[in-house]
Amino acid sequence: MSSQQNKQKDVVNKQMIFALNPKQDFNLGDPVKINKANSYDPTYVKNEPLQKPINQISNSNIGTFQDKDQLKHTNEAKNQKKQNKIKYIATRSIAGLKAYTKAQKDNQDSLFYKLEINKQADKNLFLLADGHGEQGAKVSQYAIKQLSDCIYDMIESMNTQPKFVEQLNSNIITSFQKIESNLVSLSNIDTTDSGTTMNLVLTFENYLISANIGDTRTFYFQRSDKPDQLGPVTLRIKQLSNQHTPEKEIESQRILESGGKIEQDTQGFQKTGPLKVKSKKQDIKGVTITRSFGDVQAKQVGIISLPDIHTFQIQQEGFLVLATGSILDMIDIIDICRILTPITPPNSQAAIENAAGQIVEEARKKAKLQPDIQDDYSLILVYIEMDLA
């Protein structure tokens, strides 16, 4: 790699991106095994070969000494802490097309990432918000700015003691509640029928904490180098977010108990489009998600801003993916795995940029075939390595 490329890489790894209304730019527990021919067999399980017996040393004193020495090294390895290191990152955010007319709409998504917070390489923050309604762009921008400020305050005293991790999760919930309150009472943004989803990912040491409201999603594709008949590399997928939509029973039950109803829009005499949360007593626009910031009218019928939180310890390097629901409504998680597997591990910034572009473009092409789709498409794609602290 040339010195110029190294300089560019340093800039990428240390910069902060805060894309407010970005311009156009181009639990799964089982391993997913894919080769470059796109084969997939979820039932395939490989039997690991038995280890060959180790030659025994005849002198019992030497043998005992070696056993103790090996045990010492094993314990030292266990005591060595690993920490994450961001190798590459790529973002994409593209405005959707207005339903039926297919004219270009305003992009209401907002992206944010900050690497090496407080000059500590393992502490990184990623935020992705999908705004909706007339003021959706302003709501997503406001929520990201407020949430990033709250997280900075938490990081100053961060450590990985179990009780602290629990406290950090509690503090994230408190931050979401604070942002919801400030958005309605202090922001001067009309949130009557406008709001935003939010996905937060915080990394430190070998921890990855994800919090989300709405249908924006987070996954970690953990690398495994055990070769098998399907190819030299496999990716194990960990889902780190929950979809908060009316299709989910736990979500719909809350809506119905709060005086809401769930139905599609009506065009002529036909039902059309996705399920929406509406009110039984008054005529409201309706929203397709059951948790969000804003959406004051819908909050009266069970919409909440309480996040689901996932805490995950990273064992191996891999890809972190934050994607708007519009992407994964169009393409399957297996499609993303198919795109990422051939570049595992990525050998350049260009490789991960191309992968991010391909994911978004495949989603957009499928959306163009459906007349009522009007979502924006946004993605944060990160490759994480693991280093000894």
Side-chain angles (χ1 to χ4, degrees), residues 16-245:
M16 176 179 71
I17 284 188
F18 189 22
L20 298 180
N21 197 14
K23 295 181 180 179
Q24 260 199 45
D25 198 320
F26 149 70
N27 250 292
L28 302 177
D30 296 329
V32 176
K33 307 178 180 69
I34 299 178
N35 66 1
K36 294 184 180 180
N38 302 333
S39 299
Y40 173 57
D41 182 3
T43 63
Y44 175 77
V45 177
K46 181 188 174 186
N47 293 322
E48 292 298 319
L50 296 175
Q51 291 184 344
K52 294 181 180 180
I54 301 174
N55 293 330
Q56 299 295 320
I57 298 175
S58 59
N59 187 312
S60 60
N61 290 331
I62 296 176
T64 301
F65 173 79
Q66 286 197 344
D67 287 343
K68 288 181 178 179
D69 190 49
Q70 183 178 8
L71 181 62
K72 176 183 176 182
H73 286 300
T74 300
N75 289 335
E76 287 177 351
K78 288 182 178 178
N79 291 330
Q80 286 181 309
K81 289 185 177 180
K82 287 186 176 182
Q83 66 179 24
N84 76 90
K85 178 183 177 183
I86 306 303
K87 180 71 172 178
Y88 299 111
I89 180 168
T91 64
R92 288 291 185 276
S93 190
I94 300 177
L97 303 176
K98 294 181 179 179
Y100 301 101
T101 66
K102 295 303 178 182
Q104 186 132 4
K105 64 184 288 292
D106 292 333
N107 191 345
Q108 296 180 305
D109 294 349
S110 294
L111 315 174
F112 173 95
Y113 70 80
K114 172 65 176 171
L115 307 184
E116 301 183 8
I117 299 174
N118 293 340
K119 297 182 180 180
Q120 299 177 68
D122 64 312
K123 294 180 173 58
N124 307 284
L125 174 64
F126 307 91
L127 298 173
L128 176 57
D130 181 355
H132 54 265
E134 291 184 6
Q135 303 297 318
K138 291 182 179 180
V139 178
S140 67
Q141 294 166 19
Y142 180 89
I144 276 188
K145 178 63 170 64
Q146 291 283 310
L147 190 54
S148 61
D149 289 344
C150 289
I151 297 302
Y152 292 157
D153 293 338
M154 296 180 198
I155 288 178
E156 292 183 357
S157 59
M158 183 176 291
N159 60 61
T160 55
Q161 297 300 318
K163 289 184 179 179
F164 182 83
V165 174
E166 293 176 7
Q167 185 60 48
L168 178 60
N169 291 347
S170 176
N171 289 345
I172 290 174
I173 292 174
T174 300
S175 296
F176 273 63
Q177 293 171 336
K178 177 182 177 181
I179 291 165
E180 173 69 16
S181 176
N182 290 348
L183 178 61
V184 174
S185 60
L186 301 178
S187 70
N188 295 321
I189 301 172
D190 182 3
T191 57
T192 303
D193 56 9
S194 296
T196 187
T197 67
M198 178 63 72
N199 265 39
L200 172 153
V201 173
L202 176 64
T203 70
F204 62 100
E205 292 194 2
N206 65 333
Y207 280 83
L208 191 158
I209 294 181
S210 172
N212 83 288
I213 53 175
D215 62 349
T216 307
R217 304 177 212 176
T218 299
F219 294 90
Y220 187 68
F221 294 75
Q222 188 159 274
R223 176 181 174 178
S224 173
D225 286 326
K226 294 180 181 179
D228 57 34
Q229 65 181 12
L230 297 177
V233 177
T234 62
L235 292 172
R236 183 179 295 272
I237 306 171
K238 178 66 177 179
Q239 183 170 316
L240 298 170
S241 60
N242 292 335
Q243 281 183 266
H244 301 134
T245 61

Side-chain angles (χ1 to χ4, degrees), residues 100 247 263-267 270-276 288 372:
Y100 301 101
E247 289 83 1
E263 63 182 20
Q264 293 174 286
D265 286 335
T266 301
Q267 189 173 42
Q270 290 186 331
K271 298 288 186 179
T272 182
L275 290 176
K276 289 186 177 182
T288 59
D372 58 342

